Amino acid sequence: MNNTSSPTPAEAMNCNMSNMTNPFFCMSITEILEITAPQIILIDRIVSPIWYIIGLIGNPISAVIWLSRKICKTNSSAVYFGSLAIVETIYLVLHFIQELEFAWGVKTYGGKTTCELFNFLYITPQYLVPMLVLGFTTERYIAVCHPFVKEKYCTVTRAKIVIICMSALSVAIALLQIYIWAWDDKIGCVFRPDTEKFNEVWTWFTEMLLFGFIPVSCLVINILVILEIRRLSVQSAAHGQGQTSGNAASTTTLLCVSFYFICTLLPATIVYAIQPSVPQGDVSLPVHTWSDDPVWSGYFSYLTIRKIVEEICLSNYATYFIIYYATGVYFRREFRSLFGLKKKRKSKGVSSRGMLSDYSIVQSNGRNTSCTETMLVDSPSDT
């Protein structure tokens, strides 16, 4: 474990004097930031634990509810939601390990093998989450805008196959992190010097594809779904039909998750994209004077903004439980039942099939098929 107290100015000056070209040789990133930009470390230490608490409690509960036999066997969207909760739980654990390293100065994965392995494991769930969101967003588009083929494509079996393929693709893409990262005995875990050009091109490709193109695609698909729902609403009103509230709740949940994903991920992608245009200062200057240097000061201002945006983005991996609870009657009911908070029903004769009214299933030839009913006749609303 490193000493998490900030080095004194004298210690920082001695570091610079013994390593005139690079103070990173004798000081960790945490120690440097504690001297030059302590607000960055403070944001990490205060905000991140809040998301850990919310996510590491809420995500497992979400997974238990969505992947329960009662709903998972008849609802393809639940398979996506349950898988998403598991992947996000894994990511939060890995993020906590990384946070111990960079925000608290605790050595967690330093070493020749663990450096490459950790970065591979850390990036894999980040690749998989956008794919999963795109998966259920596309499925909802098919079910709402092309209802005649929904029984073919919106099935639990197909959802499982798609998730397996997405997982394999995420692992395959992330494996290159083992090649990109390397352990340096002086600095620590860094990019391999001989892969600098490849890393730049590859990072930009994956960033723009997974964290740029996919969120924009989800946004376009959501707009198309909303427009179709409005068209169906007008059409149904003209024929004097009512609203299917359960289906509205289902679509509301899906749209809220998708939109929240877009709103938290796109800003982080934009902030990351402008990083090359933000210059760093002269590392040969004494560390304790960096905050007074105009170039370093501008760079630390950028890092502060980036850290705030990253913390907002981190909430994407922790707060879906709140969205599920706020928009899904079925999810609330199952949550209360799970913890013994379920109220007794006053009315009699309520069938078990009515319990799934939020995420009702399609009827075909008198038999249940594994597809979410999404033919809404009114705008989505919380029920």
Side-chain angles (χ1 to χ4, degrees):
M1 180 183 295
N2 285 355
N3 186 355
T4 57
S5 61
S6 302
T8 64
E11 291 172 332
M13 186 177 297
N14 289 334
C15 175
N16 273 98
M17 291 177 62
S18 59
N19 296 276
M20 291 299 294
T21 58
N22 198 337
F24 290 96
F25 288 161
C26 62
M27 296 177 66
S28 68
I29 295 176
T30 306
E31 291 171 335
I32 292 175
L33 288 177
E34 285 177 333
I35 296 172
T36 58
Q39 70 276 8
I40 297 175
I41 298 296
L42 192 62
I43 292 171
D44 264 337
R45 293 179 176 178
I46 293 177
V47 181
S48 292
I50 297 175
W51 301 135
Y52 297 150
I53 294 172
I54 296 174
L56 293 177
I57 294 175
N59 286 338
I61 294 174
S62 299
V64 169
I65 294 176
W66 291 126
L67 297 179
S68 64
R69 181 182 294 273
K70 180 167 58 175
I71 185 172
C72 185
K73 69 178 181 179
T74 58
N75 186 276
S76 54
S77 295
V79 180
Y80 282 105
F81 285 155
S83 301
L84 190 62
I86 293 174
V87 173
E88 289 178 333
T89 301
I90 295 172
Y91 175 75
L92 286 177
V93 171
L94 294 172
H95 191 277
F96 171 71
I97 295 173
Q98 187 198 56
E99 203 82 328
L100 288 176
E101 181 88 19
F102 287 100
W104 297 93
V106 179
K107 288 295 181 182
T108 52
Y109 60 90
K112 186 174 182 180
T113 303
T114 53
C115 167
E116 294 92 333
L117 181 61
F118 178 82
N119 280 284
F120 156 68
L121 295 175
Y122 184 68
I123 201 69
T124 300
Q126 295 183 62
Y127 288 162
L128 184 54
V129 166
M131 295 183 186
L132 291 173
V133 175
L134 179 63
F136 67 70
T137 302
T138 302
E139 183 186 74
R140 180 58 38 148
Y141 166 78
I142 294 173
V144 172
C145 300
H146 302 280
F148 294 108
V149 297
K150 63 180 180 287
E151 292 188 37
K152 177 180 179 181
Y153 293 105
C154 303
T155 65
V156 171
T157 300
R158 187 177 292 272
K160 291 178 179 178
I161 293 173
V162 170
I163 291 171
I164 292 173
C165 291
M166 288 178 173
S167 301
L169 180 60
S170 300
V171 170
I173 299 175
L175 277 172
L176 281 172
Q177 297 298 317
I178 296 177
Y179 170 69
I180 292 173
W181 289 89
W183 177 257
D184 186 293
D185 292 331
K186 293 182 178 180
I187 303 178
C189 204
V190 296
F191 294 129
R192 293 182 190 273
D194 56 341
T195 64
E196 182 176 350
K197 188 63 179 178
F198 171 80
N199 175 54
E200 182 179 349
V201 174
W202 179 251
T203 300
W204 267 99
F205 172 74
T206 54
E207 287 289 325
M208 292 301 102
L209 175 64
L210 295 168
F211 308 119
F213 176 76
I214 288 182
V216 171
S217 299
C218 290
L219 177 61
V220 172
I221 293 171
N222 283 339
I223 293 173
L224 294 175
V225 170
I226 291 173
L227 291 176
E228 179 65 12
I229 289 173
R230 292 184 63 181
R231 187 187 70 82
L232 291 173
S233 176
V234 173
Q235 187 180 70
S236 299
H239 290 81
Q241 296 177 353
Q243 172 180 310
T244 308
S245 60
N247 297 331
S250 174
T251 300
T252 299
T253 300
L254 290 158
L255 289 175
C256 286
V257 170
S258 187
F259 271 121
Y260 191 77
F261 161 77
I262 295 167
C263 292
T264 54
L265 192 60
L266 277 181
T269 304
I270 294 171
V271 170
Y272 180 84
I274 66 176
Q275 179 179 351
S277 63
V278 183
Q280 294 187 26
D282 184 1
V283 295
S284 65
L285 293 173
V287 175
H288 66 281
T289 67
W290 283 11
S291 57
D292 299 322
D293 179 71
V295 181
W296 274 118
S297 179
Y299 184 73
F300 291 134
S301 296
Y302 160 76
L303 285 184
T304 302
I305 295 172
R306 176 176 168 174
K307 179 54 62 179
I308 294 172
V309 174
E310 286 177 348
E311 289 296 338
I312 295 174
C313 181
L314 183 61
S315 69
N316 178 62
Y317 296 87
T319 55
Y320 285 160
F321 168 82
I322 299 174
I323 295 177
Y324 300 148
Y325 192 88
T327 61
V329 177
Y330 173 79
F331 188 88
R332 288 197 296 271
R333 186 187 302 121
E334 289 301 303
F335 174 80
R336 293 164 184 166
S337 176
L338 185 64
F339 291 94
L341 304 175
K342 188 175 181 181
K343 297 180 180 179
K344 293 183 179 180
R345 290 178 173 270
K346 294 182 180 180
S347 59
K348 298 181 180 181
V350 179
S351 65
S352 61
R353 190 162 171 255
M355 298 289 287
L356 296 176
S357 60
D358 301 11
Y359 299 87
S360 55
I361 48 184
V362 173
Q363 293 293 320
S364 177
N365 298 325
R367 293 184 299 173
N368 294 335
T369 60
S370 303
C371 175
T372 308
E373 174 61 64
T374 52
M375 285 298 297
L376 308 186
V377 293
D378 205 342
S379 302
S381 61
D382 189 12
T383 52

